[in-house]
Amino acid sequence: MQELARRVSEGDRRALAQAITLVESRRADHRAEAATLLETLEGGRQALRIGLSGTPGVGKSSFIEAFGKLLTGQGLKVAVLAVDPSSARSGGSILGDKTRMERLARDPNAFIRPSPSQTHLGGVARRTREAVALCEAAGFDVVLIETVGVGQSETVVAEMTDLFILLLAPAGGDELQGVKRGIMEMADLILVNKADGALKDTAMRTCADYAGALRLLRKRPQDPEDFPKAMCVSAEEEMGLDDAWAEMTRLADWRRETGHFAARRAQQARHWFEEEVRQGLLARLVSDAGAKARMEELGRAVAEGRAAPGKAAAEMLAALGAGKD
Amino acid sequence: MQELARRVSEGDRRALAQAITLVESRRADHRAEAATLLETLEGGRQALRIGLSGTPGVGKSSFIEAFGKLLTGQGLKVAVLAVDPSSARSGGSILGDKTRMERLARDPNAFIRPSPSQTHLGGVARRTREAVALCEAAGFDVVLIETVGVGQSETVVAEMTDLFILLLAPAGGDELQGVKRGIMEMADLILVNKADGALKDTAMRTCADYAGALRLLRKRPQDPEDFPKAMCVSAEEEMGLDDAWAEMTRLADWRRETGHFAARRAQQARHWFEEEVRQGLLARLVSDAGAKARMEELGRAVAEGRAAPGKAAAEMLAALGAGKD
């Protein structure tokens, strides 16, 4: 384990991939090894964690490839992770195929990792947080965590990143409604992709529409006056990516100076602590043999109509010493 | 409490409304009273529980009004409840305004109850299940539980009903994609509303499209061969509602005869028992003063960087006697 930790901290990509496989494993002995590894590596290095959300069709892979190449071209090391709770069902819709980012995948300063195939969002979230920590320990400067808009996955990604970017495709004014208000509110930056060729004018109009919509949202007192903002980019023509990156670093620097960067990380750490306690508590219902047997027994009584659900639940909670609800 | 129970079981609508207010309350003394009330009333009567999902714009209110009047016209007593976890935020989009179902609301054999205004879906689910039990105890023959398509709310409604109906508006072939596969798979009956006037032809085409799509889904061995099925209705012209009701009763009767009706209720009871145990266990983290203080203390240590989230969580779980995750 010390050997793996050393190789990860030296930035060895194969060791990093191996370490991530370890944290993704659900085997108890792997979990224990992963905990030791994380503890050994914890602290020290900090990457800029960027969340990126975009539905299929907005050109997310092309954007990540072009944006990632821009960053590695500046000498930065870039890791790309994915949160996609549906990937097990859909057969890995995002990043399932590294060939979609062939150039970036071959770049020695880039590291691409598909979403772990778990159907449970809580499990994916935990593994991804641990993978982020490993990428930071491996010396990556930027960790990009991408997600496709499925239910709660944006919220999960926003809760583990420093900046949250929403990538959109050019669209007519009516379709602006399609983006859920809650997701708009999470975004620090909206990027309208495909601002090239025949779509250029539409992209610019879409961008203006979203800029208008963003002005209607509540201002965030901790951010510069012009944030959140909307910008046009073209992954295809590699246009606007440097401007987008400049805005991201400006916002991150501002937040670092005002202390909001550290405050956000502190709040996120607390959130994940609470979430792990909740998950661990629920896990007891299946991992503890006695509790599991009692659940089974009461569950059968309820199913057979010999006990009411509420009453049986109260009995189970009393048995768990959890008091009354 | 005995007095309230007696009045509810006599079908007194004001007493029923009062009892539902009691189960919706989060005050500890109200919770205890509600538990006693439910225990007193439990068992005996059984209504047909119908789940109804439809996004805004499909004419859900008009459908419920026309369908409800059809049933009360046959001498049946009908209760309408709503599950809308977003109602607190949106200002009660569904059933917030009883005037949208004015005729049904005035019907002595109907009872309409808006969604409790709670943001937490788990809380809404529990209150709604208890309200269903009260409606059954009050002698209602049909309990209609409506929901608007927000995230998990359809699943919650399907888990507490005997039949699940999906109400749709006429739409072009391409828009068929808009209905999530998971929701299609839950539906026993798809009703295409607004099959009247200029939309009649579109409605019939939409209906045929969905009938085709349903045939592609996995068959349910426990149901008659022609289920799940799609039908056209017009709430406006009160057309097809009697046919839809005939199909619902046919399916319910079939399931009763084959034992699947009882099996489904048994499985649902078990599900809600497990869910209540989980909720009760999590509630301990805030209701137990000692646990709450320890959570607070460890949460602060994590936020201040003095402890890692995972390690602090393990410590908290050990303190709760919950073993290791």
Side-chain angles (χ1 to χ4, degrees), chain A residues 39 151 170 184 216 218 309:
Chain A
E39 212 174 320
M184 285 270 286
L216 297 177
R218 193 169 45 87

Side-chain angles (χ1 to χ4, degrees), chain B residues 65-215:
Chain B
E65 170 141 289
F67 184 65
K69 288 297 287 180
L70 172 82
L71 300 185
T72 59
Q74 297 186 3
L76 296 168
K77 291 183 70 184
V78 180
V80 183
L81 306 172
V83 169
D84 178 12
S86 69
S87 68
R89 277 162 290 167
S90 68
S93 57
I94 35 173
L95 283 181
D97 191 1
K98 272 195 196 180
T99 56
R100 289 197 294 148
M101 298 184 210
E102 216 176 325
R103 281 165 58 220
L104 192 62
R106 277 199 310 262
D107 192 318
N109 281 322
F111 176 82
I112 300 180
R113 179 81 180 194
S115 183
S117 57
Q118 297 193 303
T119 44
H120 177 47
L121 187 54
V124 173
R126 180 186 186 154
R127 306 307 176 259
T128 308
R129 277 185 297 121
E130 293 176 347
V132 170
L134 291 171
C135 291
E136 292 195 321
F140 282 86
D141 303 293
V142 175
V143 180
L144 208 61
I145 305 168
E146 68 146 325
T147 189
V148 71
V150 218
Q152 295 292 301
S153 66
E154 274 98 354
T155 313
V156 166
V157 169
E159 273 291 353
M160 58 172 79
T161 50
D162 305 312
L163 303 177
F164 191 77
I165 316 291
L166 184 57
L167 193 69
L168 297 171
D174 285 356
E175 295 175 53
L176 197 142
Q177 312 285 340
V179 178
K180 290 185 209 115
R181 192 188 158 93
I183 294 172
M184 285 268 287
E185 281 172 347
M186 286 191 285
D188 295 307
L189 197 59
I190 288 182
L191 298 179
V192 180
N193 193 19
K194 302 189 182 178
D196 47 51
L199 285 172
K200 188 157 190 169
D201 287 350
T202 314
M204 288 173 69
R205 267 199 309 277
T206 305
C207 189
D209 286 348
Y210 279 103
L214 286 174
R215 272 192 293 274

Side-chain angles (χ1 to χ4, degrees), chain A:
Chain A
M1 206 43 57
Q2 291 307 316
E3 169 65 11
L4 184 62
R6 189 186 56 72
R7 283 171 56 217
V8 167
S9 67
E10 282 169 2
D12 179 335
R13 290 197 298 176
R14 280 189 56 188
L16 177 59
Q18 207 180 319
I20 294 180
T21 302
L22 192 65
V23 301
E24 283 175 1
S25 170
R26 278 186 273 193
R27 265 177 52 183
D29 55 334
H30 288 170
R31 292 293 318 144
E33 283 177 35
T36 310
L37 179 69
L38 286 163
E39 212 174 320
T40 311
L41 290 169
E42 207 129 39
R45 288 161 165 172
Q46 207 176 59
L48 181 62
R49 304 174 188 166
I50 304 176
L52 178 76
S53 171
T55 43
V58 302
K60 196 143 43 95
S61 300
S62 324
F63 173 82
I64 293 172
E65 170 141 288
F67 184 65
K69 288 298 287 180
L70 172 82
L71 300 185
T72 57
Q74 297 186 4
L76 296 169
K77 291 184 68 185
V78 180
V80 182
L81 306 171
V83 168
D84 178 12
S86 69
S87 66
R89 277 163 290 167
S90 67
S93 57
I94 37 173
L95 282 181
D97 190 2
K98 272 195 197 180
T99 56
R100 289 197 296 147
M101 299 183 209
E102 216 177 325
R103 281 166 58 219
L104 192 61
R106 277 199 312 262
D107 192 318
N109 282 320
F111 176 82
I112 300 181
R113 179 81 179 192
S115 183
S117 58
Q118 296 192 303
T119 45
H120 177 47
L121 186 55
V124 174
R126 180 186 184 153
R127 306 307 176 258
T128 308
R129 277 183 299 123
E130 293 176 347
V132 169
L134 291 172
C135 291
E136 292 195 322
F140 282 86
D141 303 294
V142 175
V143 180
L144 207 62
I145 305 167
E146 69 147 323
T147 189
V148 70
V150 219
Q152 295 291 301
S153 67
E154 274 99 353
T155 312
V156 165
V157 170
E159 272 291 352
M160 58 172 78
T161 49
D162 305 313
L163 303 177
F164 191 78
I165 316 290
L166 184 57
L167 192 71
L168 297 171
D174 284 355
E175 294 175 54
L176 196 140
Q177 312 284 341
V179 178
K180 288 186 209 115
R181 191 188 158 93
I183 294 171
M184 285 270 286
E185 281 171 348
M186 285 191 285
D188 296 307
L189 197 60
I190 288 181
L191 298 179
V192 180
N193 193 20
K194 302 189 182 177
D196 47 51
L199 284 172
K200 189 157 190 170
D201 287 350
T202 314
M204 288 175 68
R205 266 199 308 277
T206 305
C207 190
D209 287 347
Y210 278 104
L214 287 174
R215 274 192 293 274
L216 297 177
L217 295 178
R218 193 169 45 87
K219 281 316 264 178
R220 299 177 190 148
Q222 76 272 22
D223 288 337
E225 273 220 354
D226 54 335
F227 279 95
K229 59 164 51 183
M231 300 171 77
C232 274
V233 296
S234 164
E236 181 77 22
E237 298 184 351
E238 298 179 10
M239 189 278 299
L241 301 174
D242 43 359
D243 289 341
W245 173 237
E247 292 298 327
M248 290 180 215
T249 45
R250 182 163 73 90
L251 181 60
D253 288 345
W254 173 286
R255 286 187 180 164
R256 277 196 195 92
E257 279 161 30
T258 55
H260 288 291
F261 193 94
R264 181 171 166 140
R265 287 221 170 176
Q267 174 272 320
Q268 289 177 346
R270 182 192 280 254
H271 169 82
W272 292 115
F273 153 67
E274 292 172 355
E275 194 54 32
E276 282 211 22
V277 172
R278 286 191 285 262
Q279 296 299 327
L281 210 49
L282 295 181
R284 185 186 176 192
L285 295 175
V286 285
S287 63
D288 178 289
K292 195 179 170 184
R294 191 93 188 91
M295 275 296 276
E296 190 47 49
E297 187 187 322
L298 283 165
R300 204 159 36 233
V302 166
E304 289 168 4
R306 289 182 282 114
K311 227 179 156 178
E315 197 178 324
M316 183 68 211
L317 288 167
L320 289 168
K324 288 199 186 80
D325 173 24

